[in-house]
Amino acid sequence: MGADPYFPANGDVRYRVHRYELALDYRPGPNRLSGTARLNAIAGRAPLAEFLLNLADFKVGRVRVDGRAPHYTHRGGRLRIRPAKPIRAGAAFTVEVHWSGNPKPVRSPWGGLGWEELEDGALVASQPVGAPSWYPCNDRPADKASYQLSITTPSAYSVVAGGRLLTRTTKASTTTWVYEQSAPTSSYLVGLSIGKYQTVLLGDPGLGGVPQAGHIPAHLLTPFSRDFARQPAMMELFEDVFGPYPFGEYAVVVTEEELDVPVEAQGLSLFGANHVDGARGSERLVAHELAHQWFGNSVSIADWRHIWLNEGFAKYAEWLWSERSGGRSAQALAGLAHRKLGGLPQDLRLADPGRKSMFDDRLYERGGLVLHAVRCALGDEAFFRMLRAWAALHRGGAVTTEAFTRHVARYGDAPLDDLFSAWLYETALPPLPSASGVAIPARPTYPPGDG
C-alpha cells in the first residue's frame, strides 16, 4: 500500500505503529501543551535507515529510538528520524518523543484541523489530517493502533476521550485522566475534549449492552435529554442491521460553542451547542455520527480516495433510522437525494472524488444512493446479511472501494458490474433505484453471526 495520493506528505508506509502511549499536560489559560509519546512500531519489509512522523510546529525536546539518541530534523510538520543504527526489516522498535508548545489547528483546504482552543477548554477535530496538531503520529488512516491517553489538566475541567476511563487521580489543583482505547484506531480518530461538563447516562444498557454517556454543559441538560433520547434506539437498530457495536462504550460531547458539523472519533462524537435545540432538529446527525462507529471507525478506509465508504454508509444509516422510527422511508429519502443531485453539476467520480471534493455534499448523497441501489438489487434479506458480514469481516481493518464491490458480488444472483460502474466510476447520475417491498425487517431474519 503506497502513500496516500491526496496527502502524500502525511504518513510513512515503511513501518506500522501498533500502540501509542501519550502523556499530556494541558493548561487551558495559556493554551500550553507538553507531552511525551511512546510508540511501539514494526519495520516493514526493508531495513529502516530513517523514518518519518508527522508533528506540527512544537518544540521537540528529546527523541529516542530503542533508548538511543538518533539524528533528527523537524521541519514543515515532518519529524525525520535517523536511528543510530538502521532497524532490521520486520523488527519491533520503540520511539519516544517529548514536545511542548501552544497547540493550534493545522491549515488545510477546509480551514483549521485538529486541536482547537475554545473559550474555556479545548477539543480535537482531526479529520482528515489534523492529528499532528497535538501529537506525533504516522498520520495515515490505514495505520491503526491501540492508544493509552493520560491527560493532566486543572481540576475544574473534565477530560473526555474515546475509550475506557481507567483512572482519574487528583493531586493538589490538577487531575490526571487515563483512557485506554484497545481497538485499532486511525490517528485522525483519536478524539479528545476538555471542558466543564455534566455527565449523564443515556438509557440503561442492561447486561451485555453498550454503555452510552453524554457530557454536556449544565445549562443544555434539558434540551439534550430530548434531542438524544432516541440514541439508545438507534444503537439497537444499528446493531440489528450492521452487527454488534464494535467498541466497548460510546460517548457524546456537546461543547459550549457552535460547530459547523459534528465530528466523529473512535467511540466518541462531538457536537456543538447549535446541534441541541430541544426539538430533535439534528437527530439525523445523531444517527450519522453513531453509524460512523461501524463505518469509518471500525471499518476504516485504506486511503482518502475511498471516503465515500465512510460518508455514504453514514448517510444511508440516517435513512434507515428515519424508516425504522416512523419518518420517511429510505426509498422516499433516496428520491429526495436523487432530485437534489439532478440539479447539481455531474462531475463527481465517487470512487476517486479528488481532494477538493472529499467533503462535497454530493459525495454523501450519492454514497447513500449507492447503498440504496445495492439494496434494491439484492433484496432486503441478502442486503442486510451483506452489511453485517462487511462490518464483521473488516472489523478493526482498512478497506477499499474495490474490496466492497467484490464483497457485494458474493451476495447477488446476477452480476452488479454495471451498477457499480455507473454509480462509482462514472460522473453522470444514474436513474433512481427502486424496488417494491423495500423495508427494514423488524429484526434480522437470520442468525446474528450469519454472513
Side-chain angles (χ1 to χ4, degrees):
M1 209 176 283
D4 193 305
Y6 291 2
F7 302 99
N10 282 61
D12 188 336
V13 300
R14 295 173 291 184
Y15 71 100
R16 298 185 68 88
V17 183
H18 63 87
R19 183 165 176 82
Y20 291 81
E21 294 175 354
L22 306 178
L24 310 175
D25 187 294
Y26 181 64
R27 305 300 153 129
N31 185 39
R32 183 75 181 173
L33 178 70
S34 59
T36 301
R38 181 182 175 86
L39 286 66
N40 297 325
I42 299 174
R45 295 179 179 177
L48 273 184
E50 67 159 34
F51 59 93
L52 300 173
L53 289 168
N54 294 105
L55 179 65
D57 187 20
F58 290 98
K59 178 182 177 185
V60 175
R62 166 184 155 119
V63 179
R64 293 289 183 270
V65 177
D66 289 334
R68 300 178 66 184
H71 177 74
Y72 69 89
T73 59
H74 183 214
R75 282 193 294 272
R78 288 154 72 88
L79 181 60
R80 187 182 297 272
I81 299 171
R82 182 167 295 152
K85 181 179 172 184
I87 298 162
R88 296 189 327 275
F93 64 101
T94 61
V95 186
E96 192 176 301
V97 180
H98 297 232
W99 76 100
S100 60
N102 300 104
K104 61 182 185 293
V106 296
R107 288 198 296 270
S108 84
W110 310 279
L113 300 172
W115 189 284
E116 189 172 333
E117 182 186 9
L118 303 177
E119 222 169 87
D120 195 16
L123 66 80
V124 168
S126 292
Q127 188 181 23
V129 289
S133 69
W134 64 289
Y135 74 100
C137 55
N138 189 12
D139 191 32
R140 55 194 191 92
D143 193 15
K144 303 174 72 169
S146 66
Y147 281 78
Q148 186 173 102
L149 274 70
S150 170
I151 306 107
T152 300
T153 60
S155 295
Y157 294 86
S158 296
V159 175
V160 184
R164 185 162 61 98
L165 178 63
L166 298 182
T167 60
R168 184 178 64 187
T169 309
T170 298
K171 291 182 180 176
S173 61
T174 64
T175 298
T176 299
W177 307 66
V178 180
Y179 284 88
E180 175 73 28
Q181 178 55 270
S182 57
T185 305
S186 301
S187 51
Y188 82 94
L189 288 170
V190 183
L192 181 65
S193 184
I194 298 170
K196 295 174 180 174
Y197 301 123
Q198 281 200 4
T199 299
V200 296
L201 297 180
L202 287 161
D204 178 3
L207 285 174
V210 180
Q212 299 174 62
H215 306 272
I216 54 209
H219 68 95
L220 293 176
L221 185 57
T222 298
F224 173 88
S225 64
R226 176 168 171 77
D227 290 334
F228 285 77
R230 300 209 289 184
Q231 184 180 281
M234 294 176 189
M235 180 71 79
E236 188 177 346
L237 168 64
F238 293 165
E239 287 203 305
D240 278 355
V241 295
F242 303 149
Y245 179 74
F247 308 116
E249 53 284 302
Y250 182 58
V252 293
V253 173
V254 178
T255 73
E256 282 276 14
E257 299 183 26
E258 295 193 353
L259 299 180
D260 289 341
V261 292
V263 179
E264 77 268 14
Q266 190 104 325
L268 171 71
S269 294
L270 303 169
F271 294 81
N274 52 309
H275 298 123
V276 175
D277 61 7
R280 294 182 180 153
S282 296
E283 190 170 83
R284 71 171 186 85
L285 299 176
V286 177
H288 185 103
E289 300 309 319
L290 176 57
H292 270 312
Q293 302 306 320
W294 284 263
F295 305 114
N297 299 8
S298 175
V299 182
S300 301
I301 49 176
D303 64 57
W304 290 106
R305 287 173 298 181
H306 309 287
I307 187 170
W308 84 271
L309 288 168
N310 295 358
E311 301 304 344
F313 277 63
K315 172 59 70 174
Y316 200 61
E318 296 176 28
W319 301 354
L320 294 178
W321 168 247
S322 174
E323 187 171 289
R324 166 62 70 86
S325 62
R328 288 174 172 166
S329 68
Q331 182 68 36
L333 291 168
L336 288 173
H338 195 271
R339 286 194 291 278
K340 176 180 174 184
L341 288 173
L344 297 173
Q346 306 288 309
D347 58 1
L348 180 78
R349 186 173 182 259
L350 198 62
D352 189 0
R355 191 167 85 162
K356 287 203 304 190
S357 297
M358 280 173 59
F359 300 110
D360 192 308
D361 281 348
R362 294 174 298 164
L363 181 137
Y364 292 60
E365 303 287 351
R366 186 161 174 152
L369 283 166
V370 172
L371 271 293
H372 195 65
V374 171
R375 181 181 176 186
C376 292
L378 295 182
D380 276 7
E381 194 276 337
F383 174 75
F384 288 111
R385 193 155 44 88
M386 178 277 295
L387 274 188
R388 289 175 67 94
W390 175 249
L393 286 167
H394 299 286
R395 181 172 175 154
V399 296
T400 63
T401 298
E402 294 74 23
F404 178 67
T405 59
R406 288 195 304 269
H407 174 78
V408 172
R410 295 201 288 271
Y411 292 81
D413 294 329
L416 297 175
D417 299 16
D418 290 346
L419 183 155
F420 287 129
S421 176
W423 281 103
L424 296 174
Y425 297 101
E426 295 169 16
T427 58
L429 183 65
L432 175 68
S434 62
S436 60
V438 170
I440 307 175
R443 284 289 182 272
T445 55
Y446 40 85
D450 189 15

